[in-house]
Amino acid sequence: MRLYFTRNPHLVYIMPAIIILLVLTIFPAILLVLLSITDYELGASSFKVVWLENYNRLSTSPEFWNSLKITLFFALITTSVELVLGYFLATLLDREIKLKFLVFACLIVPIAMTPSIAGQIWKLILNADYGIMNHLFDKILGFEVSWLSQSNALMSTILVDIWQFTPFVTLILYAGLRSLPEDPYEAATMDGANRFQLFRYITLPLLRPIILLAVLFRLIDSLRIFDIPFSLTEGGPGNATEFLSLFIYRLGFAETGWLGRSSATAVILLVLIIAISFLLINLLKERKDDTI
Amino acid sequence: MKSNTKQGTVTRISITLLIIVVSLISIFPLLWMLMVSLKSGRDIIDPSIWIFKPTLDNFKEAIQYRNILGYLRNSFIVVIITTVISIFIGGLAAYGFARFDFKRRENTAFWILSLRMLPPMAIVIPFFIMAQLLNVLDTHIVLIISYMLFNIPFAIWMLRGFFEEVPEEIEEAALIDGCSRFQVFTKILLPLTTPGLIATAIFCIIFSWNEFVFALFLTSTSSTTLPTTVNLFLSITGTEWGEMAAVGIITVLPVLIFAMLVQKYLIRGLTFGGVK
């Protein structure tokens, strides 16, 4: 045993972390999958194995498909808008600016602000009757919007997410832009490259790992979002903003206590997220292997 | 030439304006929350009132009747303990990844990163059942351990990047002078990478302070943290908004002040070891 550790000195360092992480993931994952094939209800004393019935029921449930659809829509829209907007703002900041630290201080506010609380204050800001947003809209544009109604709630949730996380993307890309070497730009400018060419052939490839990282963080975070819509809309009105996490919550805990079916949905969310992060992490990994 | 500089000025002014607008949008909800929290009576639901006599009544109410100080204490306990343990365990592992070559190293490292991506809502269901069986629901320890699942992978990923920036020769010199590997790690590498440790700690603290799903499911009256206070105000009317805003300010202010103080490190840490 001693000899084994002498031969593999790294194990002493990485083992504590690996053991903790394995215990915290393997048992819960097995338990979750087991739950998903039972009809267990919250607080029930007995249950039976129903195999794939929970999954079958989900596949014919319009609520589930709606939830999946709006989750994917939400994730795609927020991630791409935040990426484009974030890049644009990062290039704006990547120059001499007076009081830059103050600008950063402002941008850090959404990043550090508790999302559940942010959702709540936005609920007040967007309130149709006494929210400041409609007050301003009325004064300046002469009309009001029912921000949190059935047809607008999803868009409003997207707006709040963009407000909260664009600064995060901005600062990541800013840090990335700052770390770029200057030589290739000088060489390319001498060769007569225009700004688009500089962006396409120099910035983009050099920034690729950072962009991938930003996409990874934002895409995964918005696929598993729970806190903002929980306090902003509670998944409603109706099912308008019932993202997968909220669907799982309502099914298993808030309304019905069907833990079995809720777990089946959780397994689907888990598989979806593992697949997407596997894909993105592999892209990151390729890059890392190149540099070694 | 002259028109060129003129155009330059116009561009510069519009960029400045744009930056100011973006900054204002970023902080507006916080300012609005602060304003509402200082209002009283009917002013609270009247958005046209910008000038008023500020009062601390909402804060007093929240502290007196909503036990906000209890939430605050729980938040501090959970966040500090989970961050310290995660950085210690994660730091050790990061050192292992940074300084030793072993089979399947990159695969293991990327497996660890992928754990950071797990959806809390899926993990919390089995955690809830297990915590119930072990009789640890509504304790600090259950949150501390749950947050380690996210903080340890993150700490490993961040710290590895910072450790790899330190030239190995420095450590080799110390090894020759008779230091053990572990001494080299604690006495030489850790002091050299303090900015990295701070940057990692900030993100662990922000994440744990703001985490909602685990806190909502695994804790209730005696150990729950500040973000779950939204439950107190879900169906809310009239002047209660004032109290809600006060509680919101108490929740976001500690971590916000902290983030401002260490701004420099936070921005440095934002490349997450992605650029080498």
Side-chain angles (χ1 to χ4, degrees):
Chain A
M1 192 70 188
R2 233 194 135 79
L3 190 72
Y4 186 72
F5 277 110
T6 328
R7 271 196 204 143
N8 298 289
H10 64 280
L11 285 179
V12 182
Y13 294 93
I14 68 168
M15 261 331 189
I18 301 268
I19 290 170
I20 291 175
L21 293 176
L22 276 177
V23 170
L24 285 181
T25 49
I26 295 212
F27 293 113
I30 293 172
L31 185 56
L32 182 69
V33 173
L34 288 180
L35 276 172
S36 79
I37 56 166
T38 69
D39 67 351
Y40 183 68
E41 287 189 25
L42 206 58
S45 50
S46 71
F47 60 89
K48 59 178 193 296
V49 176
V50 295
W51 300 111
L52 293 180
E53 199 191 300
N54 287 323
Y55 293 93
N56 282 334
R57 276 178 189 259
L58 281 178
S59 71
T60 56
S61 152
E63 284 177 346
F64 166 74
W65 288 110
N66 169 61
S67 178
L68 182 66
K69 197 182 78 190
I70 62 170
T71 306
L72 292 174
F73 177 76
F74 177 82
L76 284 178
I77 298 285
T78 54
T79 306
S80 31
V81 172
E82 283 159 20
L83 201 65
V84 172
L85 214 58
Y87 182 79
F88 174 67
L89 292 175
T91 54
L92 283 190
L93 291 171
D94 187 21
R95 70 190 70 211
E96 289 292 314
I97 296 170
K98 272 182 216 150
L99 300 176
K100 204 184 227 178
F101 74 97
L102 214 58
V103 177
F104 282 145
C106 292
L107 290 180
I108 287 172
V109 168
I111 296 176
M113 196 156 159
T114 313
S116 61
I117 302 290
Q120 205 173 37
I121 192 66
W122 275 101
K123 188 162 105 180
L124 175 60
I125 291 173
L126 298 176
N127 185 295
D129 301 320
Y130 45 84
I132 176 75
M133 200 67 132
N134 267 353
H135 178 70
L136 292 177
F137 261 60
D138 189 36
K139 276 264 165 72
I140 299 165
L141 301 169
F143 64 92
E144 299 191 345
V145 179
S146 47
W147 296 96
L148 299 174
S149 69
Q150 175 89 33
S151 49
N152 293 337
L154 182 57
M155 266 313 155
S156 297
T157 314
I158 289 174
L159 281 180
V160 174
D161 193 87
I162 289 172
W163 165 81
Q164 178 144 42
F165 295 109
T166 303
F168 175 76
V169 178
T170 305
L171 291 187
I172 290 188
L173 295 179
Y174 170 81
L177 283 175
R178 276 281 142 139
S179 67
L180 295 182
E182 291 200 1
D183 311 354
Y185 288 92
E186 280 163 16
T189 318
M190 290 229 263
D191 290 344
N194 63 29
R195 281 176 68 178
F196 174 76
Q197 285 170 322
L198 287 181
F199 170 75
R200 171 69 188 79
Y201 295 104
I202 299 178
T203 312
L204 213 53
L206 284 174
L207 219 52
R208 201 180 102 117
I210 282 286
I211 294 175
L212 275 175
L213 214 57
V215 172
L216 178 69
F217 277 112
R218 287 313 315 137
L219 198 61
I220 301 296
D221 257 3
S222 44
L223 283 171
R224 57 187 186 180
I225 192 160
F226 182 75
D227 31 18
I228 293 177
F230 181 86
S231 52
L232 184 69
T233 62
E234 291 173 72
N239 297 331
T241 53
E242 193 172 71
F243 304 107
L244 278 173
S245 287
L246 286 129
F247 183 67
I248 295 168
Y249 174 71
R250 180 168 65 89
L251 223 52
F253 296 87
E255 223 167 66
T256 43
W258 295 334
L259 215 53
R261 204 176 306 167
S262 171
S263 301
T265 321
V267 169
I268 293 170
L269 177 64
L270 193 65
V271 170
L272 180 74
I273 284 187
I274 288 176
I276 292 175
S277 49
F278 183 78
L279 208 80
L280 284 167
I281 284 179
N282 262 325
L283 287 174
L284 262 174
K285 206 152 88 179
E286 269 169 32
R287 171 72 192 200
K288 185 123 187 161
D289 291 341
D290 287 349
T291 53
I292 288 167
Chain B
M1 195 65 203
K2 205 170 185 183
S3 72
N4 208 356
T5 45
K6 203 171 178 185
Q7 200 190 7
T9 326
V10 172
T11 327
R12 200 147 12 94
I13 290 174
S14 39
I15 287 175
T16 311
L17 275 179
L18 203 59
I19 290 176
I20 291 174
V21 169
V22 168
S23 304
L24 285 179
I25 293 176
S26 294
I27 55 167
F28 178 74
L30 179 71
L31 294 182
W32 190 247
M33 186 156 69
L34 188 65
M35 249 174 84
V36 172
S37 75
L38 298 173
K39 284 180 171 180
S40 62
R42 267 203 50 80
D43 291 359
I44 291 169
I45 50 170
D46 190 345
S48 62
I49 293 178
W50 291 73
I51 296 155
F52 55 92
K53 209 170 140 243
T55 154
L56 286 177
D57 286 355
N58 292 317
F59 287 90
K60 279 186 203 141
E61 296 258 313
I63 288 169
Q64 230 162 16
Y65 302 112
R66 307 274 194 189
N67 185 30
I68 291 308
L69 294 182
Y71 287 89
L72 192 64
R73 202 194 58 150
N74 292 333
S75 276
F76 269 109
I77 293 175
V78 169
V79 169
I80 291 172
I81 298 181
T82 194
T83 304
V84 169
I85 299 180
S86 302
I87 295 226
F88 178 70
I89 307 244
L92 276 179
Y95 185 72
F97 281 106
R99 283 295 185 258
F100 298 95
D101 218 355
F102 51 92
K103 248 195 275 174
R104 301 161 56 76
R105 180 175 70 168
E106 291 317 310
N107 281 333
T108 316
F110 278 101
W111 169 71
I112 287 174
L113 178 67
S114 73
L115 296 181
R116 181 68 185 72
M117 306 298 155
L118 293 175
M121 188 49 84
I123 301 298
V124 80
I125 297 173
F127 267 41
F128 177 80
I129 306 276
M130 285 156 77
Q132 210 170 27
L133 290 176
L134 298 170
N135 217 0
V136 289
L137 274 181
D138 202 15
T139 58
H140 294 131
I141 187 84
V142 72
L143 282 190
I144 290 169
I145 292 178
S146 306
Y147 294 170
M148 277 160 58
L149 171 59
F150 296 92
N151 285 334
I152 291 179
F154 182 75
I156 295 177
W157 191 254
M158 285 278 277
L159 290 174
R160 182 186 175 184
F162 284 105
F163 290 165
E164 282 175 350
E165 277 173 20
V166 177
E168 244 174 300
E169 292 77 36
I170 299 176
E171 288 168 57
E172 275 156 18
L175 279 175
I176 293 167
D177 288 347
C179 284
S180 73
R181 263 277 180 197
F182 191 72
Q183 279 174 323
V184 170
F185 174 62
T186 54
K187 296 214 172 111
I188 295 174
L189 196 64
L190 289 187
L192 280 175
T193 48
T194 316
L197 289 170
I198 298 175
T200 311
I202 302 163
F203 285 102
C204 290
I205 289 171
I206 293 181
F207 168 78
S208 319
W209 185 273
N210 292 342
E211 203 287 329
F212 182 63
V213 174
F214 285 91
L216 179 70
F217 276 71
L218 303 179
T219 57
S220 50
T221 45
S222 69
S223 343
T224 196
T225 51
L226 280 166
T228 63
T229 52
V230 295
N231 261 335
L232 303 174
F233 304 104
L234 269 186
S235 50
I236 176 176
T237 49
T239 52
E240 275 187 333
W241 284 105
E243 246 180 277
M244 180 223 90
V247 173
I249 289 290
I250 295 174
T251 304
V252 300
L253 223 48
V255 72
L256 222 52
I257 292 171
F258 177 68
M260 294 300 158
L261 289 177
V262 291
Q263 197 198 91
K264 190 175 72 182
Y265 301 104
L266 190 148
I267 290 165
R268 228 193 112 174
L270 270 169
T271 47
F272 300 114
V275 169
K276 293 273 162 55

